[in-house]
Amino acid sequence: MSTTVPIGARDLLKQSAFLFFLSSRSLSRFASQIAAVAIGWQIYDLTGRAFDLGMVGLIQFLPTALLVFVAGNAADRFPRKRVVQLCQLAEALTALYLGWGAYAGQLGEVQLFAAVFVLGIAGAFESPATAALLPLIAPEGTLQRASALSSGAAQLATIAGPAIGGFAYAVAPGLPYGIMMLFWIAGMALTGLMQVPDDVPAERPDGSKDDLFAGVRFIRANPAILGTISLDLFAVLLGGVTALLPIYARDVLDTGPFGLGVLRAAPAVGALAMTAVLARYTIQRRVGLRMFQAVIVFGAATVVFAVSHVMWISVAALAILGAADTISVVIRFSLVQLATPNEMRGRVGAVNFLFINASNQLGQFESGVTAALLGAMPAAILGGLGTIGIALLWMKLFPTLRKVERLE
């Protein structure tokens, strides 16, 4: 790692466009985390069925799967800033509807599921447009540092957002929805203040079917990008232990609900700490190899967590896991964005977003099924070893990716 970079983290935060971007994205992320707690709690309070909690994730994921090509095409056809603003407006109106329904006592299961579906649609369009904006507003040579800061803001929201949502819901069921609405409206205003060069992509033939699937063809034709995106899919698919944390907290570590909260926060704390490091010291050489090494550390930390019966060792393993994942995420995001032409970033970003969501959702499902068949500890061990195996295999299958020397 090296400190010889054109613009430091403090100077980057003084760039108005990036500061507006970071603030807007953080507010959206906070609102989403608050929504996850408030909606999940309210649905479970209404029905008392754990199955319905699983349905929340599925309903929110479906729009991503169904609209991946349309959402990516929209981000490459229209000004990305306006796409993000429209999504934030739709999210704010949905929060307003939820708040009014909670206040009036008229929110039922169907209304909550419908709201979740609308939020899923908005997220499907917002994510690729947001990802395509960052390379346009980050000064040349600073995308890696900008990605680290953006990732850190997301981790902060992951840590604090659920706490805000839980506290607000305890005060009044409608309060978290009011906070969500204000956050999304403020985010929309901040997005509008960004000055984005080249935000309107180059003109392309209208209504072309080929345009919708150009992102898939572009990824298939670029081994480094294909390897990067597929590595994330399979590594997270096998290595996710989040779904098993309640089992470990109760049956292995014997810590109870408070210990579960500590375990859930540990990866985000590790990720936030690594963000601070990467914001100051960017990775300058052998970035492809460093990404694979980070994935291997992720898998090894998963194995350590799997076999640990000591709380502090488990927490440390999860923190290391989160830190290693952050290195991988920053490199992957920067590599994909820099290797993709501006006019293609929306469609490529939409496919990437689908892979990330699929890996998280299916990873939890895989962990749960494996734990049901073999037990929690064997499932976690196999997941960690599988992640290491995938990293080693991908190093052989994608030598171009392994040999990437620099990002910028």
Side-chain angles (χ1 to χ4, degrees):
M1 296 187 181
S2 170
T3 59
T4 58
V5 293
I7 297 179
R10 289 185 180 179
D11 295 325
L12 184 58
L13 290 172
K14 294 177 182 178
Q15 302 284 324
S16 59
F18 177 73
L19 186 58
F20 290 142
F21 171 89
L22 189 65
S23 301
S24 173
R25 186 175 186 273
S26 299
L27 287 170
S28 282
R29 187 62 180 248
F30 265 100
S32 297
Q33 292 295 321
I34 293 170
V37 171
I39 293 175
W41 187 278
Q42 193 150 27
I43 284 180
Y44 191 68
D45 194 39
L46 286 171
T47 69
R49 295 191 297 266
F51 175 79
D52 291 331
L53 293 177
M55 286 297 295
V56 172
L58 177 61
I59 291 172
Q60 197 160 14
F61 172 71
L62 279 177
T64 303
L66 296 174
L67 299 172
V68 54
F69 300 114
V70 177
N73 196 52
D76 284 338
R77 184 177 295 276
F78 305 107
R80 281 109 180 213
K81 187 170 77 169
R82 300 307 177 202
V83 173
V84 173
Q85 283 186 295
L86 286 174
C87 292
Q88 290 172 322
L89 176 61
E91 290 161 336
L93 291 175
T94 304
L96 176 62
Y97 168 77
L98 289 170
W100 174 83
Y103 176 77
Q106 297 180 3
L107 273 186
E109 186 179 4
V110 174
Q111 290 86 350
L112 286 166
F113 281 147
V116 168
F117 191 73
V118 173
L119 292 176
I121 294 173
F125 281 87
E126 183 179 358
S127 181
T130 300
L133 277 174
L134 184 55
L136 299 179
I137 62 176
E140 184 176 356
T142 65
L143 182 58
Q144 186 184 158
R145 177 170 279 114
S147 300
L149 289 171
S150 180
S151 177
Q155 293 297 338
L156 183 61
T158 301
I159 297 171
I164 295 174
F167 177 78
Y169 192 92
V171 174
L175 182 57
Y177 302 126
I179 296 173
M180 288 156 49
M181 181 187 68
L182 293 176
F183 278 12
W184 271 316
I185 289 175
M188 182 176 65
L190 291 167
T191 301
L193 293 174
M194 286 191 296
Q195 297 295 320
V196 184
D198 302 321
D199 189 25
V200 182
E203 291 291 331
R204 297 183 285 110
D206 291 334
S208 170
K209 181 179 178 182
D210 289 340
D211 282 343
L212 291 176
F213 301 97
V216 176
R217 292 199 311 275
F218 180 82
I219 291 171
R220 291 180 59 185
N222 290 268
I225 296 180
L226 176 61
T228 300
I229 293 177
S230 58
L231 175 66
D232 176 66
L233 172 65
F234 289 105
V236 176
L237 180 64
L238 292 174
V241 293
T242 304
L244 305 180
L245 291 183
I247 300 175
Y248 267 85
R250 190 187 69 178
D251 300 335
V252 178
L253 300 171
D254 193 27
T255 62
F258 176 76
L260 175 60
V262 173
L263 292 174
R264 284 193 175 276
V269 172
L272 195 59
M274 181 53 66
T275 295
V277 174
L278 293 178
R280 185 174 178 84
Y281 306 104
T282 58
I283 302 172
Q284 295 293 311
R285 296 181 60 251
R286 307 179 75 180
V287 293
L289 181 60
R290 297 289 179 262
M291 181 182 67
F292 283 113
Q293 290 171 339
V295 175
I296 291 171
V297 171
F298 178 95
T302 301
V303 173
V304 172
F305 171 80
V307 301
S308 170
H309 287 76
V310 180
M311 183 64 176
W312 72 266
I313 295 178
S314 299
V315 171
L318 289 173
I320 293 171
L321 179 152
D325 187 51
T326 296
I327 296 174
S328 178
V329 166
V330 168
I331 294 176
R332 288 199 310 265
F333 178 85
S334 302
L335 192 152
V336 170
Q337 294 299 323
L338 290 170
T340 304
N342 181 36
E343 65 273 11
M344 292 286 298
R345 282 178 177 146
R347 285 163 288 176
V348 171
V351 176
N352 190 27
F353 181 59
L354 174 64
F355 273 44
I356 291 171
N357 270 15
S359 62
N360 288 327
Q361 298 287 340
L362 296 178
Q364 292 187 18
F365 176 74
E366 179 273 334
S367 296
V369 171
T370 307
L373 293 174
L374 304 176
M377 188 172 295
I381 293 172
L382 286 176
L385 294 176
T387 299
I388 295 172
I390 287 292
L392 295 174
L393 178 60
W394 256 235
M395 290 176 70
K396 295 290 186 181
L397 294 177
F398 299 94
T400 304
L401 178 58
R402 185 183 74 246
K403 296 175 181 177
V404 172
E405 181 69 15
R406 297 179 182 274
L407 288 174
E408 301 176 270

